[in-house]
Amino acid sequence: MGWGALGALALLYSVAFSVLFISVPRLDMARNAPVMNVEPVASLALGYLVLGQILAPLQLLGGAIVLGGIVVLSFSPR
């Protein structure tokens, strides 16, 4: 079961990055780049929801800073 999970992880990870790099030339990355930084916040949320991890106040503050930065960048003039 563990080897199967490791194989699935490797497969899904490589597929996700392949799709990302195939999609990058087709997207306006200057406009969409801030959204790529939501990954740490998604990791925090999934760790809490799926794994039952406890989030420290400093982690929540960091996630809020990241989300705030994404919002500021998305509304800044180009």
Side-chain angles (χ1 to χ4, degrees):
M1 187 166 151
W3 285 108
L6 182 63
L9 174 70
L11 176 69
L12 293 174
Y13 190 79
S14 60
V15 168
F17 267 94
S18 298
V19 168
L20 173 68
F21 289 125
I22 290 169
S23 301
V24 164
R26 297 184 174 121
L27 300 173
D28 180 16
M29 286 310 293
R31 184 168 184 211
N32 296 324
V35 176
M36 301 277 294
N37 293 316
V38 83
E39 182 179 346
V41 178
S43 298
L44 277 176
L46 288 174
Y48 175 75
L49 295 172
V50 175
L51 301 175
Q53 294 180 343
I54 304 299
L55 300 178
L58 193 58
Q59 291 173 311
L60 295 173
L61 176 65
I65 290 171
V66 170
L67 289 177
I70 292 170
V71 169
V72 167
L73 286 174
S74 66
F75 288 117
S76 64
R78 308 256 179 253

